[in-house]
Amino acid sequence: MQVNETLNDGLKREYSITLTAAELDEKVDAKLAEAQPDVQMKGFRKGKVPMALLKKQFGPQVMGEAMQEAIDGAMNKHFEDSGDRPALQPNVEMTNKDWKEGDDVEVQMSYEKLPEIPEVDAGSLTLEKMVVEPEESAVDDALKSLAEQAQDFEAKDGAAENGDQVVIDFKGSVDGEEFEGGAAEDYPLTLGSNSFIPGFEEQLVGVTAGDEKNVTVTFPEEYGAEHLAGKEAVFACTVKEVKAPVAASVDDELAKKYGSDDLDALKAQIRERLAAEYGQAARAVMKRRLLDQLDEKVSFDLPPTLVETEAKQIAHQLYHEDHPEDHGHDHGEIEPTEEHLKLAERRVRLGLLLAELGQKNEIEVSDSEMTQAVMTQARQYPGQERQFFEFVQQNPQMRQQIQAPLFEDKVVDYLFELAQIEEKPVSKEELEKAIEALEEEEE
């Protein structure tokens, strides 16, 4: 087996691999000899089929297997000896396309190697951590919102408005005939909730207690009951009461509705939640500053194909963000701009750097962390959690998409532990401005 370098340009490598006919024949004979004891063929006892007959019967198939194993072995040995790590799957193709049995096998292997990544002195990184203490006004606003969500309704005089609740009896009919499921008594309907057929609630705005009103609506074409789909219906309604919304009192009873022992305990929970939200926002700002410093401190050659692929993905994603009405992928090739390429270089550089740091420091995403992340995403599909979980298990690409940000965050946390971090107390407004600036930078 001969392996000769034919290209060495930056990170690009190309090699010619020659497997002589004699070497291939030797490997085929070895594989046939290994299989011979288990081969049965008519006219011969098991294990006694002549080698010549075996070669005639199974030679072509075994030759292909031997050829592939030999080339794979040569590639693996090359990477072990050279220490090269291909950035992407190497491109391997047979160069003597008119090959026939008895000829040498000539193969060309090309790839882009991962660069040597310089050491990073994480202790030299200096970061500022924004710290926000939840203000009482923010706690009060949260309590007010909870009270509104826990609202009740009290009887009122006058006409019903959007947001009010009307207590009604109703009977529905189509073509003068009442239909099953179209009647109810003392039904509490909140106007503006869109819980009834489109157009129903709007016609009750302005009614008062004691009114009788016929509400005419048309069932949607896609309505679940086929005998009603697309049909016009009339609902004879009697308004028994009109109620106005009243926010719940901010007291111990409200706290108990939300699972707390008393109001003080509920406030403590709100402060804890707000502190966690502020902490996550501050971490996002600090992470961005960390990546900015790494990008400035570390420089190395980048595999061109990785950069080109990333730039195309960025261009494609931004195209769809600018054209939300275009849901397909038949928009033709989208050429990356210089700005896309610059962003791609940053992402590839930081991605390779963080991957190297993670590998050197044996940082891994545990099975339990991965499972928790999958379960969190599965909750976005109510009723289909199991199907989503199984889809992820069977889809390596999807697993990688979920695992990648987990791994990145663990490496970032490792760097935070080593960096020099100074806490800076700030207001909620200052943190919000920092987040807004962060989002503008990412656009």
Side-chain angles (χ1 to χ4, degrees), residues 106-118:
E106 297 175 3
V107 171
Q108 182 186 72
M109 174 180 68
S110 57
Y111 61 90
E112 292 171 6
K113 61 174 285 190
L114 289 175
E116 294 295 325
I117 298 176

Side-chain angles (χ1 to χ4, degrees), residues 97-324:
K97 306 266 174 137
D98 55 351
W99 178 88
K100 60 183 180 301
E101 188 175 349
D103 291 347
D104 293 345
V105 178
E106 297 175 3
V107 171
Q108 182 186 72
M109 174 180 68
S110 57
Y111 61 90
E112 292 171 6
K113 61 174 285 190
L114 289 175
E116 294 295 325
I117 298 176
E119 293 285 338
V120 175
D121 179 11
S124 68
L125 300 170
T126 57
L127 299 167
E128 187 178 81
K129 181 179 181 180
M130 306 177 82
V131 180
V132 179
E133 289 294 330
E135 299 176 353
E136 283 307 306
S137 60
V139 176
D140 291 341
D141 288 343
L143 283 171
K144 182 179 177 182
S145 177
L146 291 176
E148 290 174 351
Q149 293 174 35
Q151 69 181 9
D152 203 348
F153 291 90
E154 292 183 355
K156 64 174 269 189
D157 294 326
E161 304 172 39
N162 259 331
D164 286 349
Q165 185 184 84
V166 291
V167 180
I168 58 175
D169 294 344
F170 62 84
K171 290 182 179 179
S173 59
V174 173
D175 296 330
E177 295 289 331
E178 293 184 12
F179 55 88
E180 186 179 353
E185 294 183 354
D186 296 323
Y187 189 93
L189 174 62
T190 301
L191 303 184
S193 65
N194 298 317
S195 57
F196 265 33
I197 304 163
F200 190 105
E201 296 168 24
E202 292 86 338
Q203 296 179 55
L204 291 177
V205 172
V207 300
T208 59
D211 285 353
E212 294 186 357
K213 182 164 185 172
N214 287 339
V215 174
T216 303
V217 293
T218 301
F219 283 97
E221 293 291 343
E222 65 278 7
Y223 195 68
E226 293 184 8
H227 66 290
L228 297 175
K231 298 288 184 65
E232 184 179 86
V234 177
F235 288 84
C237 301
T238 299
V239 181
K240 304 177 81 170
E241 197 170 11
V242 175
K243 297 182 176 182
V246 179
S249 299
V250 178
D251 53 20
D252 289 346
E253 289 304 312
L254 175 68
K256 290 175 182 177
K257 286 183 179 180
Y258 287 99
S260 296
D261 293 336
D262 53 34
L263 185 57
D264 287 339
L266 180 59
K267 286 183 177 180
Q269 288 181 357
I270 292 173
R271 289 191 193 95
E272 186 177 336
R273 176 177 59 79
L274 289 174
E277 290 176 0
Y278 298 154
Q280 289 175 357
R283 184 187 185 282
V285 175
M286 193 165 67
K287 176 181 176 181
R288 177 56 185 253
R289 300 303 166 234
L290 170 72
L291 297 179
D292 287 345
Q293 287 190 42
L294 291 174
D295 193 36
E296 292 174 1
K297 285 177 176 289
V298 181
S299 178
F300 49 85
D301 291 337
L302 302 175
T305 303
L306 279 184
V307 174
E308 181 183 356
T309 301
E310 183 67 25
K312 287 182 177 180
Q313 289 178 349
I314 292 170
H316 188 266
Q317 178 184 348
L318 293 178
Y319 170 84
H320 281 286
E321 288 180 4
D322 292 338
H323 302 82

